[in-house]
Amino acid sequence: MLLTRRHLLSALPALAMPAILRPQALWARAPQTLALPALDEGRMIDGVRVFDLKVARATTQFMAGQSTDTIGINAPYLGPNLRIKSGETVRFDVTNALDQPTSLHWHGLHLPPAMDGGPHQPIAPGALWQPSFRVQQRAGTYWFHSHAHGQTGAQIWAGMAGLIRIEDDEEAALPLPRTYGEDDFSLIIQDRRFDADGQMTYEPGMHDIMAGMQGDQMLVNGQIGAVLTSAAPRIRLRILNGANASIYRLHFADGRTFQQIASDGGLLAAPVAMSETTLAPGERGEYLVDLHDGAATMLRAELFGAMAASMGSDGIRDVIALQPVAAQAPAPDLPARLGTLSPALPGPDARRVFSLTMGEGHTMGGMMMDDDTMMHGAMMGADLINGALFDPDRIDFTVPEGANETWVFENRADMLHPIHIHGTQFRILSRNGQPAPAHEQGWKDVVLTRPGETVELSVAFSAMADPSAPLMLHCHILEHEDAGMMQQFTII
Ligand code: C2O
Ligand code: CU
Ligand code: CU
């Protein structure tokens, strides 16, 4: 065995020898070949791209000999990667095979509000929901997930999420890796907690509701200990932070730099070189990683809960091992320019201020609560937007169709809150009066706000008026959202 391995190593170019690590050395436990979400192209019916999506309970083996109860979409855990060309009309035939109501939200998509799949479009057990709309979106990595009223955290924790891969001509014209499974990999990163029976029990207590529900096991596409093997000199990682609550500071164990090429809403104007980056729950980033030297490495995440300002980091965890097949010639130079981005300008039509606070002794009246939640509500106060908890019967504000507004989020809490707005992509005008960092200058639909921070956004909604279908604005820490850190507005 040893002899064979030594022979193999000596056959490799000298350059690569010192750095070669096998996955066995990178993962203490049994490594697994990375599994990608199935690329689903749907089927064409009268010019409409139709996807069949069935939400159902299942069991999944995350660890040898342990069978865990999960919820999946056309799969035991998580769902497919839906491939759509911008400009196409799509229809989703969503069947709820659960024994409870759900909903399926198209996160990041510009769409008629009645198709959004938020809490106002519940799908009853056994029912079929068939939203249809024209996708008018830049190429990028979007996703879909449960948005059932008060149950979003529980259903996503169990696995109810999947990816949307939108393609367009602008992106297709660039020399970027895009062969799925060869040099282009979609990674849903999550952390989960397993009990002694191997179950991902979802019973958030006081701490879980404040910090958000976090776990000690890292999953990539539902796998623990994944190894990505590639023969390409440069790969593209399309990463979704699919956690309920954890904010991930991502970096490689060997400190190598990588390039971010896209944010939530598609291509950046130019590649941004970085050696670490932060992704909050719901955020996506696309990154290029150079593997030509043949050296294996480990992607790592430092985890932060919502209370990181007072509690600090939850530690650094291994996420996925990258294992090049061999050393080889470098990839061609990157394009200097990527997407065409209009300058981000303040929205002149209105300025709305959203203040994020923690209520004093606020009780969460009318919500389902266990004792721990009650304690949280009474002792610490709930996370509020403009002093209020979510009320499905209250429209918090209305936005005129076609308006371009400036929305200001003032984080006056001691908590981190990643804020997400439905039905649009926005631009970050400033953080604390300073321009956003380069990798946040593109289109976004989630923005992390830190304690004490003021973030200004340019937000617009075009051609989607519907006074009867509210859109959501909320913290994407799902336990904050389910506890009421959400508002709703209509486009009129
Ligand atoms: Cu990703 Cu309102 O959700
Ligand atoms: Cu959304
Ligand atoms: Cu929050």
Side-chain angles (χ1 to χ4, degrees):
M1 208 50 200
L2 265 176
L3 194 67
T4 315
R5 188 156 167 218
R6 206 170 288 138
H7 275 102
L8 272 174
L9 283 173
S10 62
L12 288 167
L15 172 79
M17 273 191 65
I20 287 283
L21 279 170
R22 310 312 301 177
Q24 285 77 5
L26 292 166
W27 282 112
R29 250 174 316 186
Q32 302 189 59
T33 303
L34 173 69
L36 291 175
L39 203 57
D40 184 346
E41 314 214 335
R43 56 205 161 99
M44 295 305 287
I45 302 178
D46 299 331
V48 176
R49 192 175 288 283
V50 178
F51 295 94
D52 292 301
L53 299 172
K54 184 175 169 191
V55 183
R57 291 199 181 277
T59 54
T60 302
Q61 281 232 343
F62 294 102
M63 292 165 288
Q66 293 272 32
S67 164
T68 306
D69 294 331
T70 50
I71 296 177
I73 306 161
N74 301 355
Y77 182 78
L78 299 174
N81 191 351
L82 308 179
R83 185 181 194 182
I84 299 167
K85 179 102 195 270
S86 186
E88 288 179 335
T89 298
V90 294
R91 193 181 84 212
F92 302 107
D93 288 359
V94 185
T95 303
N96 177 9
L98 302 175
D99 52 4
Q100 57 183 241
T102 191
S103 82
L104 204 54
H105 166 59
W106 320 105
H107 177 127
L109 268 57
H110 178 271
L111 37 54
M115 308 297 166
D116 189 45
H120 294 279
Q121 290 92 36
I123 316 172
L128 170 70
W129 181 56
Q130 297 179 291
S132 179
F133 54 91
R134 184 161 178 266
V135 173
Q136 304 163 67
Q137 222 49 59
R138 301 174 82 226
T141 303
Y142 304 87
W143 64 304
F144 56 97
H145 61 76
S146 165
H147 220 301
H149 181 56
Q151 295 296 318
T152 300
Q155 292 185 349
I156 295 181
W157 182 263
M160 201 179 146
L163 292 168
I164 303 176
R165 172 192 176 106
I166 296 181
E167 302 178 347
D168 69 8
D169 294 339
E170 180 185 44
E171 190 277 338
L174 291 167
L176 295 171
R178 63 172 66 79
T179 308
Y180 195 55
E182 286 181 25
D183 58 12
D184 179 349
F185 302 87
S186 296
L187 309 179
I188 302 174
I189 303 181
Q190 300 173 306
D191 53 282
R192 290 291 184 269
R193 189 190 303 171
F194 294 86
D195 66 19
D197 298 325
Q199 299 306 310
M200 303 190 302
T201 304
Y202 188 82
E203 285 167 5
M206 178 175 76
H207 177 84
D208 300 320
I209 290 173
M210 290 170 60
M213 188 74 176
Q214 298 182 271
D216 53 354
Q217 292 285 348
M218 299 306 298
L219 302 184
V220 174
N221 299 342
Q223 286 179 303
I224 298 170
V227 179
L228 181 165
T229 305
S230 176
R234 176 190 287 139
I235 59 170
R236 175 180 190 165
L237 303 179
R238 303 176 189 240
I239 300 182
L240 161 68
N241 178 337
N244 275 40
S246 298
I247 293 147
Y248 300 140
R249 185 187 283 164
L250 299 168
H251 63 274
F252 288 100
D254 58 7
R256 71 177 61 194
T257 57
F258 50 98
Q259 314 271 336
Q260 183 166 354
I261 57 167
S263 55
D264 300 335
L267 289 173
L268 299 172
V272 178
M274 46 181 59
S275 57
E276 60 165 51
T277 193
T278 297
L279 272 189
E283 281 188 303
R284 290 86 66 209
E286 297 186 16
Y287 308 93
L288 300 181
V289 186
D290 196 313
L291 296 179
H292 90 275
D293 69 0
T297 190
M298 178 67 82
L299 178 66
R300 289 190 170 151
E302 183 167 15
L303 276 72
F304 299 90
M307 294 195 291
S310 49
M311 314 230 343
S313 134
D314 297 303
I316 297 175
R317 314 238 172 92
D318 290 346
V319 176
I320 182 172
L322 304 192
Q323 178 68 68
V325 169
Q328 58 187 299
D333 285 347
L334 276 180
R337 306 299 304 166
L338 296 168
T340 306
L341 288 184
S342 54
L345 299 171
D349 297 323
R351 184 178 174 88
R352 294 179 202 276
V353 178
F354 301 88
S355 153
L356 313 176
T357 57
M358 181 174 276
E360 294 291 334
H362 218 282
T363 56
M364 294 192 265
M367 301 200 60
M368 295 257 294
M369 290 183 286
D370 56 30
D371 287 351
D372 279 341
T373 317
M374 185 83 79
M375 266 172 74
H376 169 230
M379 287 169 47
M380 298 299 299
D383 301 303
L384 307 173
I385 303 178
N386 286 343
L389 283 173
F390 178 63
D391 177 349
D393 298 321
R394 181 189 70 227
I395 303 298
D396 293 287
F397 59 100
T398 59
V399 181
E401 184 177 64
N404 182 3
E405 304 189 343
T406 298
W407 291 12
V408 185
F409 290 88
E410 298 177 348
N411 187 332
R412 299 177 179 281
D414 200 24
M415 299 269 213
L416 289 95
H417 295 299
I419 297 296
H420 169 53
I421 305 169
H422 283 216
T424 192
Q425 291 287 326
F426 54 74
R427 302 286 289 277
I428 304 177
L429 295 166
S430 70
R431 282 186 174 278
N432 288 326
Q434 300 301 311
H439 72 284
E440 286 193 327
Q441 299 259 356
W443 292 99
K444 297 278 299 158
D445 55 53
V446 177
V447 60
L448 180 60
T449 71
R450 299 171 177 85
E453 220 172 14
T454 294
V455 181
E456 282 185 311
L457 310 178
S458 173
V459 186
F461 300 88
S462 57
M464 50 193 297
D466 185 347
S468 66
L471 289 169
M472 302 292 136
L473 151 67
H474 60 88
C475 179
H476 221 289
I477 289 180
L478 303 177
E479 289 66 38
H480 293 182
E481 175 193 336
D482 279 341
M485 194 177 186
M486 178 153 71
Q487 288 209 335
Q488 55 183 359
F489 57 99
T490 53
I491 314 295
I492 55 166

